[in-house]
């Protein structure tokens, strides 16, 4: 019998969203179209139009050692060209941001190849070969996992995910990399990931309404969907805990659990 | 706890002008770092120093603009003291330093073995009178006095005012015969029931609590404490019992002082590059015994656990992990979350109410009933996380996920420990909290939590020596525990919680417990947060200052 891949338990809205974001067969909704050059500007690793920096010759030119794994794995484009590894890092507010750090890691690893993720409480870094990163970053900024007010693009000084929201509903950023354009009711980036001022303002669009965000979020909260109201998710976590506990202490008791 | 005022309300109202439930606020309008009294003071001082030495120094305008949001004061939990975060950094807070100094400079040296040597080998009599004479002598030698050689340098007493030796024993008759100035009086210092337990546990052993001068520990390291004590104790024996300085028996005194003594910290592996008696070697159970709240406030087990957490946060997280292991300035913000603003307080007292109302009271929950334990753990953890979600002021106070993970897990762990009376159950609940926290919010702490907290369920009950130990004797050097700030504090509170719930007078070691009841110590271990607060207010007077040997 062929194994049918499972993604996440539960019947609640956050659980369903977790499954959607992780499942590579689900095409995530594109909500905006930030120009690729602007994505490159916000990330700040290279100037638009500038060549990619290389850290090794293209694989086809180099003498690869004899290795069965190398024969099995098809390199991603950036690896083929010898691109350096660069990053994008998102900060996700606790206040119903569409996605949160662990789901980002799960989603990235489920949907992309050649990525290295690092998960912290407020932010999630994703490191990839540069040309692949740019494609991926644009997808992530354009799609439904990004909200202009509650998702931040931040290389350093990332705190803010747990701070209250400002008078325009924006997540706090000590560097004020983005500001509120009151005329257009949009969020505009004025600094890049590491807070170097941009030479042009880049709009990432209008924030979603809180009502919609509650439908899109993966975060369980007492003032939204409480995890304990999703019995399957609650029991899933407790079961992992129980099995690990028994496995490390009285492994014979795992039988039948 | 429905209907009860949340314990963190006062702190939240002091921090922010909005209501604690308000989600919205203003940023970027508070004047940056200039809203902080301590930052302004720091900048003024740095400017003066830079001018004098000709090398630039602290410049608050370098790096991220500080103070873009309201600069929060911090309430030292269960006190009325508010402090700035700078004043809670262990380099700026001399009370935190003294807490560690007082632990490091303590070594417990039994007198039974030397007394046997004197009586059986040398044929001399040991009586209360000779013991008193010895104690008078050793209180001359340990602070730095000479007794044997006639032309000898000594330590300036003004530098060593904190140094002395006291004794204690479960033998009331013997203690009655000892000069009270040299006695840690168990009967007077502990509630009667605790005193009886302690005396029964230590028996007739006569133990010395040796306090080496703070400055000695600072100048050398923790490992020197046993050497300083051994040398000066041996000299005191020679002098008070009129022994020959070269006779073989003297080696027995030195041997017993060095090797039959009780350091506060055990030896760590070479990769840690420390001697014994450094903070990484202190077992959690010892630290729990050093914390003395339940001696002075025996009817408040919650406070006992919380004070143990506070002491663990200051010494383990701030000094050891933040200083010894990491260096820099980053750990204060993480660690102080566990002992400021009454947030963990609120969660722990909620847990105690739940244990009493739903689980039959302390130690009534069967430690083998895992389903019920998980139910309790899930209840307490959910409450803690819910408070962050319902009170944005609390969420912003603990603006780092590591802070929230620690505090939620500590309350859950303390709950498990108190409900069953078993520290390892508490530890297991800690990890339950971590897993459920991650699942609920989609986030936890920083990278290291993935290792330590994702695998912790599996080792929480393991007793095999390369995999686990009873929680009381695990310590910061236990595999996996040497990496994450914000864990060692909670790990100290968990065994404390188990044993206070049981009504035990000590957690791991009765000798350690009694030694830190001593009112002559500089740091008051019964009021940890208050002492740290006094340090923050710059009211705490530490030992070991060098002003006596600095002209002018």
């Amino acid at each position: 019998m062929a194994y049918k891949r499972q993604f996440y338990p539960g019947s609640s809205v956050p659980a369903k969203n977790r499954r959607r974001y992780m499942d590579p067969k689900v095409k995530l909704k594109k909500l905006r179209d930030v120009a690729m050059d602007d994505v490159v500007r916000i990330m700040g690793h290279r100037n638009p139009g500038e060549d990619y920096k290389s850290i090794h010759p293209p694989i086809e030119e180099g003498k690869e050692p004899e290795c069965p794994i190398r024969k099995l794995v098809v390199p991603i484009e950036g690896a083929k060209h010898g691109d350096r590894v660069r990053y994008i890092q998102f900060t996700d507010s606790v206040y119903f941001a569409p996605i949160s750090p662990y789901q980002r890691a799960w989603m990235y690893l489920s949907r992309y190849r050649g990525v290295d993720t690092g998960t912290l409480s407020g932010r999630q870094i994703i490191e990839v070969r540069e040309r692949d990163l740019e494609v991926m970053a644009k997808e992530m900024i354009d799609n439904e996992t990004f909200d202009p007010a509650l998702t931040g693009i931040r290389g350093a000084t990332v705190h803010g995910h747990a701070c209250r929201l400002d008078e325009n509903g924006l997540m706090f950023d000590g560097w004020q990399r983005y500001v509120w354009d009151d005329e257009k009711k949009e969020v505009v980036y004025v600094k890049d990931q590491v807070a170097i001022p941009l030479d042009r303002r880049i709009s990432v669009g209008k924030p979603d309404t809180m009502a919609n965000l509650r439908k899109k979020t993966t975060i369980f909260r007492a003032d939204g969907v409480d995890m304990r109201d999703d019995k399957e998710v609650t029991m899933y976590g407790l079961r992992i805990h129980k099995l690990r506990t028994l496995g490390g202490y009285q492994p014979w008791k795992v039988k039948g659990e | 706890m429905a209907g009860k005022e949340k314990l963190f309300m006062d702190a939240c109202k002091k921090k922010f002008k909005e209501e604690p439930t308000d989600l919205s606020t203003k940023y970027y309008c508070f004047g940056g770092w200039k809203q902080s009294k301590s930052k302004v003071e720091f900048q003024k001082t740095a400017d003066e120093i830079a001018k004098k030495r000709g090398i630039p120094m602290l410049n608050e305008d370098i790096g991220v603009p500080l103070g873009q949001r309201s600069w929060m004061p911090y309430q030292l939990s269960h006190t009325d003291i508010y402090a700035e975060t700078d004043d809670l950094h262990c380099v700026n807070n001399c009370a935190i330093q003294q807490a560690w100094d007082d632990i490091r400079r303590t070594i417990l040296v039994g007198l039974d073995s030397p007394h046997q040597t004197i009586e059986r080998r040398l044929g001399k009599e040991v009586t209360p009178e000779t013991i008193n004479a010895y104690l008078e002598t050793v209180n001359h030698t340990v602070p730095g006095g000479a007794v044997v050689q006639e032309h000898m340098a000594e330590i300036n007493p003004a530098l060593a005012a904190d140094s002395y030796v006291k004794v204690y024993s479960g033998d009331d008759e013997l203690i009655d015969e000892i000069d009270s100035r040299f006695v840690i009086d168990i009967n007077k210092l502990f509630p009667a029931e605790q005193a009886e337990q302690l005396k029964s546990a230590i028996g007739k052993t006569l133990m010395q609590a040796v306090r080496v001068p703070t400055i000695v520990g600072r100048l050398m390291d923790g490992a020197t404490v046993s050497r300083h004590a051994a040398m000066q104790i041996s000299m005191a024996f020679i002098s008070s019992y009129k022994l020959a300085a070269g006779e073989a028996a003297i080696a027995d005194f030195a041997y017993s002082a060095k090797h039959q003594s009780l350091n506060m910290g055990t030896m760590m592996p070479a990769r840690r590059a420390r001697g014994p008696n450094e903070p990484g070697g202190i077992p959690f159970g010892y630290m729990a015994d050093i914390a003395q709240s339940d001696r002075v406030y025996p009817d408040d087990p919650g406070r006992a656990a919380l004070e143990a957490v506070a002491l663990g946060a200051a010494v383990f997280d701030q000094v050891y992990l933040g200083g010894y292991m990491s260096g820099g300035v980053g750990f204060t913000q993480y660690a102080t979350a566990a002992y400021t603003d009454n947030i963990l307080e609120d969660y722990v007292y909620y847990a105690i109410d739940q244990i009493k109302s739903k689980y039959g009271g302390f130690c009534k929950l069967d430690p083998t009933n895992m389903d019920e334990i998980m139910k309790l753990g899930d209840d307490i953890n959910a409450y803690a996380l819910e408070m962050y979600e319902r009170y944005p002021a609390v969420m912003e106070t603990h603006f780092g996920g590591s802070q929230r993970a620690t505090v939620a897990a500590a309350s859950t762990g303390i709950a498990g420990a108190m409900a069953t009376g078993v520290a390892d159950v508490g530890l297991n609940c800690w990890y339950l909290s971590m897993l459920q926290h991650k699942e609920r919010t989609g986030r936890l702490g920083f990278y290291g939590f993935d290792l330590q907290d994702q695998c912790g369920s599996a080792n929480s009950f393991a007793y095999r020596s390369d995999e686990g130990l009873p929680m009381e004797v695990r310590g910061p050097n236990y595999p996996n525990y040497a990496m994450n700030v914000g864990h060692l504090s909670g790990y100290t509170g968990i065994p404390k919680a188990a044993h206070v719930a049981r009504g035990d007078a000590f957690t791991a070691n009765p000798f350690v417990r009694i030694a830190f009841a001593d009112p002559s110590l500089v740091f008051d271990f019964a009021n940890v947060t208050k002492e740290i607060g006094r340090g923050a207010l710059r009211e705490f007077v530490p030992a070991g200052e060098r002003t006596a040997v600095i002209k002018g």
Side-chain angles (χ1 to χ4, degrees):
Chain A
M1 189 177 73
Y3 172 72
K4 192 181 173 201
R5 191 174 169 192
Q6 298 178 57
F7 294 97
Y8 201 79
S11 54
S12 58
V13 167
K16 286 176 184 167
N17 286 335
R18 290 179 185 200
R19 282 199 289 274
R20 284 187 60 243
Y21 294 156
M22 288 171 72
D23 185 350
K25 288 181 182 161
V26 173
K27 190 166 170 52
L28 296 175
K29 287 178 203 156
K30 183 170 175 171
L31 301 182
R32 60 195 69 81
D33 189 7
V34 178
M36 179 57 100
D37 280 356
D38 286 340
V39 171
V40 170
R41 286 186 181 96
I42 291 173
M43 286 201 291
H45 302 308
R46 69 179 184 106
N47 293 316
E50 185 184 350
D51 285 346
Y52 292 105
K53 291 185 173 67
S54 298
I55 51 169
H56 60 74
I59 287 177
E60 285 183 3
E61 288 177 21
K63 272 187 122 181
E64 290 292 299
E66 187 64 25
C67 168
I69 302 300
R70 284 167 199 253
K71 285 178 184 163
L72 277 175
V73 178
V74 179
I76 58 175
E77 283 304 306
K80 277 185 198 165
H81 289 87
D83 291 357
R84 60 185 178 162
V85 173
R86 296 278 68 201
Y87 68 89
I88 188 165
Q89 182 163 256
F90 292 103
T91 299
D92 300 295
S93 171
V94 298
Y95 294 110
F96 298 104
I99 195 165
S100 56
Y102 271 107
Q103 279 85 52
R104 278 192 184 279
W106 301 341
M107 176 181 72
Y108 294 151
L109 294 167
S110 180
R111 289 176 175 266
Y112 298 97
R113 294 177 57 234
V115 300
D116 184 10
T117 72
T119 307
L120 295 93
S121 60
R123 58 184 161 127
Q124 225 284 340
I125 192 166
I126 177 88
E127 298 182 67
V128 198
R129 300 284 189 153
E130 194 162 2
R131 75 189 66 203
D132 301 287
L133 170 72
E134 290 173 359
V135 173
M136 187 178 168
K138 179 167 165 50
E139 284 180 18
M140 288 303 132
I141 293 169
D142 285 350
N143 74 24
E144 60 187 303
T145 63
F146 184 93
D147 180 75
L150 301 178
T151 311
I153 306 168
R154 305 177 182 184
T157 310
V158 295
H159 278 116
H161 77 272
C163 292
R164 294 163 297 165
L165 305 179
D166 76 9
E167 60 270 46
N168 299 308
L170 268 58
M171 177 169 56
F172 171 74
D173 177 8
W175 277 115
Q176 282 189 280
R177 276 162 275 222
Y178 47 79
V179 294
W180 178 245
D181 184 330
D182 201 39
E183 224 169 77
K184 294 181 180 168
K185 308 293 181 200
E186 290 179 350
V187 176
V188 176
Y189 272 75
V190 294
K191 294 174 186 169
D192 74 5
Q193 272 195 115
V194 290
I196 297 170
L198 295 165
D199 52 14
R200 51 179 286 184
R201 292 159 65 91
I202 299 170
S203 173
V204 289
K206 296 182 195 309
D208 210 341
T209 62
M210 199 46 93
N212 274 342
L213 287 163
R214 283 168 179 264
K215 291 178 197 162
K216 287 160 59 176
T217 192
T218 60
I219 303 171
F220 289 102
R221 287 181 56 95
D223 52 354
V225 177
D226 194 312
M227 187 176 88
R228 301 180 95 204
D229 292 335
D230 190 324
K231 301 293 177 206
E232 193 180 28
V233 175
T234 300
M235 288 317 297
Y236 154 80
L238 293 175
R239 180 171 158 74
I240 287 172
H241 172 70
K242 186 174 187 179
L243 293 180
R244 285 184 188 172
T245 299
L246 292 175
Y249 178 54
Q250 295 175 320
W252 59 90
K253 285 196 174 173
V254 172
K255 199 174 175 185
E257 281 290 338
Chain B
M1 212 154 140
K4 279 190 185 175
E5 172 86 346
K6 304 296 179 191
L7 299 178
F8 44 72
M9 281 301 193
D10 285 347
C12 287
K13 286 175 181 171
K14 185 100 173 172
K15 282 169 185 289
F16 308 115
K17 69 176 188 321
E18 297 87 358
E19 284 298 307
T21 47
D22 284 355
L23 173 57
S24 190
T25 186
K26 284 184 186 302
Y27 294 120
Y28 324 114
C29 58
F30 297 100
W33 58 264
K34 287 179 183 160
Q35 63 179 301
S36 158
K37 200 174 147 193
S38 76
K39 301 287 183 207
V40 171
E41 178 200 337
F42 286 4
Q43 190 59 69
K44 185 169 177 281
T45 306
D47 289 345
E48 287 165 7
I49 293 169
K51 193 174 171 188
K52 194 172 170 187
R53 71 182 192 178
I55 308 169
M57 205 188 180
L58 179 94
N59 179 351
E60 299 287 15
D61 291 321
I62 288 179
V64 66
L66 293 172
Q68 294 290 69
R69 52 189 163 115
S70 176
W71 199 255
M72 297 185 279
Y74 291 83
Q75 182 182 17
L76 277 297
S77 290
H78 51 262
T79 77
D80 295 326
I81 301 171
Y82 282 85
E84 286 212 39
T85 187
D86 291 318
D87 293 317
L88 296 175
H89 191 287
C90 59
V91 172
N92 297 333
N93 190 303
C94 58
I96 293 176
Q97 292 164 22
Q98 192 64 50
W100 165 225
D101 287 331
D102 278 354
I103 296 168
R104 180 185 54 211
R105 70 195 186 87
T106 294
I107 183 159
L108 308 182
V109 184
L111 278 170
D112 296 353
S113 174
H115 286 168
Q116 283 175 13
T117 300
I118 292 165
E119 287 187 322
R120 294 184 192 173
R121 179 165 175 155
L122 305 180
K124 287 179 175 257
E125 201 179 13
V126 176
T127 67
E129 289 73 27
T130 66
I131 294 172
N132 281 327
Y134 162 80
L135 286 169
E136 187 151 5
T137 308
V138 82
N139 272 287
H140 161 78
T141 58
V142 165
V147 283
V148 176
Q149 194 171 305
E150 48 75 40
H151 189 86
M152 191 74 172
E154 296 182 310
I155 292 173
N156 185 332
L159 297 173
D162 60 328
S163 180
Y164 59 88
V165 178
K166 287 188 180 180
V167 291
Y168 52 95
S169 173
D171 183 344
D172 281 346
E173 282 183 25
L174 173 62
I175 289 297
D176 282 346
E177 300 285 329
I178 306 289
D179 185 334
S180 61
R181 294 174 300 169
F182 304 132
V183 170
I184 298 174
D185 192 331
I186 300 169
N187 295 320
K188 282 186 182 162
L189 291 167
F190 287 89
E193 198 183 323
Q194 290 184 27
E196 287 310 313
Q197 280 188 45
L198 289 164
K199 287 190 293 182
S200 169
I202 67 173
K204 290 185 180 298
T205 293
L206 184 60
M207 181 63 82
Q208 300 175 96
V210 181
R211 318 290 186 188
V212 163
T214 288
I215 199 167
V216 169
R218 287 205 180 165
L219 181 60
M220 290 77 173
D221 66 355
T224 206
V225 170
S226 67
R227 296 172 192 133
H228 182 100
M231 178 62 79
Q232 300 307 88
I233 285 170
S234 299
M235 294 298 150
F237 274 121
I238 291 168
S239 178
S240 58
Y241 284 94
K242 304 297 176 200
L243 307 177
E247 70 178 303
I250 306 303
D252 288 6
F253 301 141
Y255 180 84
S256 65
K258 277 186 184 175
H259 303 294
Q260 294 184 326
S261 56
L262 198 56
N263 277 297
M264 296 305 102
T266 55
M267 187 75 182
M268 292 188 292
R271 68 180 180 279
R272 303 277 184 238
R274 310 284 170 201
N277 207 31
E278 288 290 332
I282 303 172
F284 299 130
Y286 277 26
M287 193 65 92
D289 280 326
I290 292 167
Q292 296 278 321
S293 180
D294 47 323
R295 176 174 61 80
V296 180
Y297 308 93
D299 298 327
D300 193 345
R303 189 184 191 281
L306 291 158
E307 283 271 295
V309 169
L311 186 61
V315 176
F316 285 144
D317 284 337
Q318 294 184 240
V319 176
Y320 178 61
L321 286 184
Y324 281 69
M325 296 290 279
S326 165
V329 297
F331 283 49
T332 309
Q333 210 68 54
Y334 289 102
T336 55
Y339 64 81
T340 53
D341 300 322
N342 286 323
I343 295 173
L344 180 57
E345 256 71 357
D346 185 82
Y347 304 169
V348 165
Y349 285 107
Y350 170 83
I352 290 172
D353 284 352
Q354 293 296 301
I355 292 166
K356 287 180 177 171
S357 62
K358 292 186 182 168
Y359 296 88
F362 290 155
C363 308
K364 299 296 185 195
L365 184 52
D366 178 358
T368 64
N369 187 344
M370 191 153 182
D371 290 334
E372 277 297 292
I373 291 165
M374 289 198 301
K375 185 166 168 266
L376 168 71
D378 200 39
D379 278 349
I380 306 307
N381 184 52
Y383 173 82
L385 298 179
E386 185 177 338
M387 291 304 102
Y388 289 119
E389 290 154 3
R390 297 217 181 267
Y391 296 91
V394 179
M395 180 71 92
E396 187 165 321
T397 298
H398 288 179
F399 60 90
S402 302
Q403 298 170 315
R404 300 190 297 275
T406 295
V407 169
S411 55
T412 310
I414 286 168
M418 284 184 163
T420 59
V422 179
D424 297 85
V425 173
L427 181 66
N428 187 254
C429 287
W430 168 287
Y431 294 116
L432 177 151
S433 165
M434 290 291 186
L435 292 178
Q436 292 297 74
H437 187 157
K438 185 192 86 173
E439 221 51 55
R440 179 185 180 111
T441 64
R443 63 184 88 225
L444 198 60
F446 72 104
Y447 294 98
F449 284 58
D450 284 355
L451 193 164
Q452 183 164 342
D453 294 309
Q454 305 303 305
C455 71
S457 308
N459 67 41
S460 51
F461 287 110
Y463 271 45
R464 286 178 292 197
S465 63
D466 58 343
E467 296 173 7
L469 283 170
M471 192 53 180
E472 289 83 347
V473 290
R474 293 188 189 195
N477 200 45
Y478 175 81
N480 288 355
Y481 287 3
M483 63 184 75
N484 271 329
V485 69
H487 286 65
L488 304 176
S489 51
Y491 291 167
T492 306
I494 288 170
K496 183 71 166 189
H499 289 277
V500 289
R502 294 165 68 99
D504 292 344
F506 63 95
T507 301
N509 191 311
F511 290 109
V512 174
R513 177 82 174 134
I514 298 164
F516 284 86
D518 180 5
S520 300
L521 283 164
V522 184
F523 188 90
D524 176 4
F525 288 92
N527 293 288
V528 174
T529 57
K530 184 180 174 189
E531 291 290 75
I532 295 173
R534 289 177 62 225
L537 298 175
R538 306 177 192 188
E539 292 172 357
F540 186 90
V541 180
E545 296 306 291
R546 295 178 294 179
T547 45
V549 290
I550 300 170
K551 202 169 182 180

